[in-house]
Amino acid sequence: MGRVFVTGLGVVSSLGLGRTAFWDSMVAGRCGFSPIETFDTRGLDRCFAGEVKGFRPRDFLTGAEARRMGRCSAFGLAAARMAVEDAKLDSGLLAGERTAVVVGTTMGEADIIGELESTWFREGVEAVDKGKIPRYGTTLLPIHIARAFGAQGMVQTLPAACAAGNYAIGFAADHIRAGRADVAISGASEILQRLEFAGFVRLGAMARQRCQPFDKNRKGLILGEGAAMLILESERHAAARGASPLAEIGGCGLACDAHHITRPHPEGAGIRTAMQAAIDESGLAVDEVDFINAHGTGTHANDRIESRVIREVFGERPVPVSSMKGMLGHCMGAASALEAVSCVMTVQTGVYPPTVGYETPDPECDINLVANQATRGPSGVVLNNALAFGGYDAVLAFARAGRLPETALS
């Protein structure tokens, strides 16, 4: 067992490409919502999302890579290349069996399977473009990244719903701690797709133009898309090449509500278990957590139950809390990976990004919310909550390098 450091960050988001553009927008409280352009929203009663605009695959991919990948894989590989560059990591060091790739998603290349099925249903099987079939498959997401860098260690896709990013990063960190890899490229990727968008509308979970987490008059979530990749390294590997750690990966608390497909447990049982486990596995006490990035979807059920659990875990101590979904939207499988990048930046800078759109306090969400304006504060330890449909609860701790006790995660 040993320490695992984050040494590089890559981002594709509606707020910008690359960690600097992304973080500057987060701190400024900018909103990435706009009318959807990648599919026809007529008849869906909603049309706004955190859609990535201006992404040109050939800015990051070779011609051959662009031809064999869908939008979701292209997002992932672009973010991975940014992360490797950010880590100042010679890509030659990634070749071989000691580099793993772990990627989370909810639906992967959903637009490709949607297109193939639509053609099949409307025009028959002979009309299906066989050339597009190999581009589909969630298993391909880490394969494309591994192939690009010659990484021959473990590859894994974790389709853990909207907690997939935290699942992937936590799993990759454990893989390094177990001595099975020196480096891991890990994060998540997700795209907007018509069927998924229509599903959230039908569930009555979608707001029209803005998302207001923890506000009394919140109307629901706004969907988003994007990708984030982190370079994780063992302490020994990072030290050997003189890398500067951005943050350390702490405990990853995992639990299941075992209650309902779309609603959280009424007492937040799984959320509480996951939060406490992340703190305990990090070798910390509750009062050592400085900031929480909440799941904070802007839905009544999530925000009310998550607030309740935060109060129960932290008691009277008003630990600062923020939700980024009023700016990014809910990027599903990629949500907690994108928010992990923000958590690492908070560890680096001491800046808490704001929860935008907050207007009216909700007595049922009585937490210390960072409302509308970014603030500064202690940032030695940050928690990243991811609470998905089906009761997937994954909470990941990030800490300043060297902040966690030596006994942590042993």
Side-chain angles (χ1 to χ4, degrees):
M1 292 294 206
R3 297 183 187 274
V4 176
F5 294 138
V6 181
T7 58
L9 305 169
V11 178
V12 174
S13 79
S14 61
L15 294 176
L17 307 180
R19 72 151 151 157
T20 300
F22 171 76
W23 180 243
D24 289 350
S25 293
M26 296 285 287
V27 173
R30 297 187 187 111
C31 179
F33 301 159
S34 60
I36 293 172
E37 296 177 355
T38 51
F39 57 86
D40 187 353
T41 59
R42 285 177 296 181
L44 296 180
D45 196 38
R46 296 288 190 276
C47 65
F48 274 78
E51 187 176 51
V52 176
K53 302 285 174 63
F55 175 77
R56 298 189 297 269
R58 288 289 280 116
D59 288 347
F60 305 94
L61 279 59
T62 66
E65 288 170 338
R67 285 192 294 274
R68 63 176 174 255
M69 292 184 203
R71 182 173 170 86
C72 192
S73 295
F75 278 1
L77 180 54
R81 286 208 160 107
M82 290 183 217
V84 170
E85 182 179 357
D86 188 49
K88 300 179 175 59
L89 183 55
D90 182 343
S91 59
L93 291 176
L94 296 171
E97 298 176 357
R98 298 295 296 173
T99 300
V101 183
V102 187
V103 179
T105 191
T106 298
M107 296 180 67
E109 307 285 11
D111 57 338
I112 294 175
I113 193 69
E115 182 181 344
L116 293 172
E117 288 183 341
S118 177
T119 302
W120 181 12
F121 294 153
R122 295 174 187 274
E123 304 173 39
V125 68
E126 296 300 322
V128 171
D129 182 351
K130 290 186 289 187
K132 291 184 178 179
I133 294 174
R135 298 174 69 184
Y136 175 71
T138 56
T139 54
L140 295 177
L141 296 179
I143 297 296
H144 289 309
I145 295 172
R147 182 175 176 180
F149 294 102
Q152 296 175 311
M154 179 199 68
V155 291
Q156 183 70 52
T157 302
L158 293 176
C162 297
N166 270 0
Y167 262 84
I169 298 166
F171 184 73
D174 283 347
H175 193 66
I176 293 173
R177 290 191 188 100
R180 298 191 178 104
D182 297 323
V183 185
I185 302 170
S186 183
S189 187
E190 199 74 63
I191 58 171
L192 290 164
Q193 193 265 347
R194 195 172 193 278
L195 176 63
E196 153 228 84
F197 189 87
F200 276 97
V201 174
R202 290 284 293 159
L203 285 171
M206 190 102 79
R208 289 195 177 278
Q209 290 194 20
R210 63 175 185 159
C211 173
Q212 298 174 275
F214 302 106
D215 187 275
K216 184 177 182 178
N217 299 314
R218 59 194 181 275
K219 304 296 184 186
L221 57 82
I222 296 285
L223 286 180
E225 65 177 358
M229 293 292 159
L230 287 70
I231 302 300
L232 309 185
E233 293 185 64
S234 68
E235 182 177 23
R236 180 185 57 78
H237 191 274
R241 70 179 189 89
S244 299
L246 301 174
E248 181 174 354
I249 303 288
C252 183
L254 305 177
C256 180
D257 281 353
H259 172 69
H260 194 272
I261 295 298
T262 59
R263 291 196 298 269
H265 188 281
E267 296 179 356
I271 306 172
R272 186 182 302 100
T273 298
M275 291 187 75
Q276 192 65 58
I279 297 167
D280 293 345
E281 290 178 12
S282 300
L284 300 170
V286 166
D287 61 5
E288 293 179 276
V289 174
D290 295 311
F291 173 72
I292 299 171
N293 174 66
H295 190 61
T297 57
T299 61
H300 278 274
N302 176 89
D303 293 2
R304 178 171 56 82
I305 300 300
E306 188 175 13
S307 297
R308 171 180 173 167
V309 173
I310 289 172
R311 290 197 307 274
E312 291 175 355
V313 171
F314 291 90
E316 296 301 316
R317 191 170 78 89
V319 58
V321 178
S322 193
S323 167
M324 301 162 198
K325 291 184 175 64
M327 296 181 280
L328 279 171
H330 191 347
C331 300
M332 300 162 287
S336 52
L338 287 158
E339 293 166 20
V341 170
S342 183
C343 289
V344 172
M345 293 305 295
T346 291
V347 169
Q348 278 280 296
T349 64
V351 175
Y352 305 156
T355 304
V356 302
Y358 187 75
E359 297 171 345
T360 306
D362 183 345
E364 292 190 299
C365 300
D366 184 20
I367 53 177
N368 182 20
L369 197 69
V370 180
N372 298 316
Q373 295 287 331
T375 62
R376 288 182 174 275
S379 59
V381 179
V382 172
L383 291 188
N384 189 25
N385 282 3
L387 319 170
F389 276 1
Y392 277 90
D393 300 310
V395 178
L396 191 58
F398 294 90
R400 186 171 300 125
R403 170 66 180 79
L404 300 181
E406 291 284 355
T407 55
L409 304 159
S410 61

